[in-house]
Amino acid sequence: MAVHALVVGSLVMDLAFRVAHRPEAGDLVVADEFGAFRGGRGYNQAVALARLGAEVTMIGAVGSDGYGDGFLQALEREGIDAGRVVQMRGTSTGVAVPLITPDGRAGFVQYPGANRYLAPAHCAELPDCDVLLLQGEVSAATSLYAARVIHGRGGTVLLRPTPVDGIDHDLVSNATIVAPNQPEAITLLERLGADGGLPALQDPTSASPEELARALATPERGAVVTVGAYDAAWAAPTDGEETAGFVHGPDVATVDTTAATASFNAALAIALAEGAGYEEAAHLACGAGAYAATVRGAEPSLPGRAAVDSLLTEHGRAGFPPPSR
């Protein structure tokens, strides 16, 4: 029985450059490679979910341009319900320029375009789902509206709080899983802290990833903190006895980390929805993130379930079990 997933999020055309180093002010850096890839954290999550076997509906916004047409065609090819992706006049599809260094790490410049105009009204009459995935690349008001609806129905809401600037206590409190990277977790705890309903760690910058995950978890919310491209600390929703740990991903040659976290989040969401515990789900998510980091470009790097299982087996680890849901 397939997991039903809903993604409310961004669609961004990536104009990606591979560079020896990122430019300082006044520098001219000549790129070694260039490629144009469909991406955006919302689109990447939706495609990753579909390739991993979920039935996916996406809500988002693109411009009335060639990039927007390409996104709608690609969503259809992936078997994703894109009937709620709006094509807006008077604005362009979102565009980003990833600058990828030889270690595979990516830095970005992004123009949000149509993504900034995705409004709560576009989320009217949300379909039922097992899990809703959110990020920070559309308005916080839109994400909060969707989170409240699905949370109110008892569904799972997975929040990847990136970029972290617009993430507030209301949105975090309506998430049932919060999945920041390590710097984002530190920022959330520093900004929200005790006044925002999160524990006030004395110095989040010196806390271990496991301590950050524990601090973000509550009786109603689990937390998974990614470390690098494909390691993770996790803390299950606390219910008297605390359960937390750390999972190392497979050791792979990193090529491009642009979509590694989207692949990670999709696998995490599916594994938890299929009945896996947090440790097993984090293990599978690390495998999906590691695979994505071995392929150049966001969209091409997103693996199917067989590819994740093959990578994990190659490293002596278990792949996806049959779903228990």
Side-chain angles (χ1 to χ4, degrees), residues 11-270:
L11 301 97
V12 179
M13 192 69 193
D14 288 343
L15 307 178
F17 296 84
R18 181 171 294 279
V19 295
H21 62 88
R22 297 188 191 98
E24 301 291 339
D27 281 355
L28 172 63
V29 175
V30 177
D32 299 321
E33 295 181 35
F34 167 78
F37 306 100
R38 281 176 293 272
R41 289 182 171 90
Y43 177 79
N44 291 342
Q45 287 181 346
V47 172
L49 286 161
R51 292 181 183 177
L52 290 169
E55 294 183 3
V56 184
T57 298
M58 180 160 194
I59 297 176
V62 294
S64 295
D65 52 27
Y67 290 153
D69 294 342
F71 270 112
L72 294 176
Q73 293 161 9
L75 288 165
E76 183 178 357
R77 285 196 302 271
E78 295 288 345
I80 295 166
D81 179 358
R84 304 285 294 271
V85 176
V86 293
Q87 199 162 20
M88 296 184 169
R89 296 185 179 276
T91 187
S92 69
T93 299
V95 177
V97 179
L99 300 178
I100 305 156
T101 47
D103 60 4
R105 297 181 181 273
F108 300 84
V109 176
Q110 186 188 101
Y111 174 67
N115 292 302
R116 72 175 70 190
Y117 302 112
L118 188 71
H122 296 119
C123 297
E125 300 180 3
L126 290 177
D128 288 333
C129 63
D130 298 309
V131 59
L132 164 68
L133 277 74
L134 300 170
Q135 329 81 41
E137 289 187 334
V138 298
S139 84
T142 302
S143 294
L144 179 58
Y145 178 89
R148 282 175 169 163
V149 171
I150 300 304
H151 191 226
R153 294 178 187 172
T156 297
V157 178
L158 189 154
L159 170 65
R160 171 69 204 277
T162 182
V164 75
D165 296 347
I167 306 298
D168 61 15
H169 172 252
D170 285 343
L171 186 52
V172 173
S173 66
N174 278 279
T176 47
I177 308 163
V178 61
N181 63 25
Q182 191 171 0
E184 291 161 352
I186 291 168
T187 300
L188 282 177
L189 289 164
E190 287 178 331
R191 276 185 35 213
L192 303 183
D195 292 337
L198 295 176
L201 292 180
Q202 186 171 3
D203 181 11
T205 60
S206 64
S208 69
E210 295 96 320
E211 289 170 331
L212 294 172
R214 290 189 186 100
L216 289 168
T218 71
E220 295 80 31
R221 182 178 65 238
V224 180
V225 177
T226 54
V227 182
Y230 33 79
D231 293 341
W234 58 273
T238 54
D239 187 15
E241 183 177 345
E242 186 178 79
T243 308
F246 191 91
V247 175
H248 290 282
D251 185 15
V252 297
T254 300
V255 174
D256 182 353
T257 61
T258 301
T261 53
S263 184
F264 180 101
N265 293 154
L268 180 71
I270 286 179

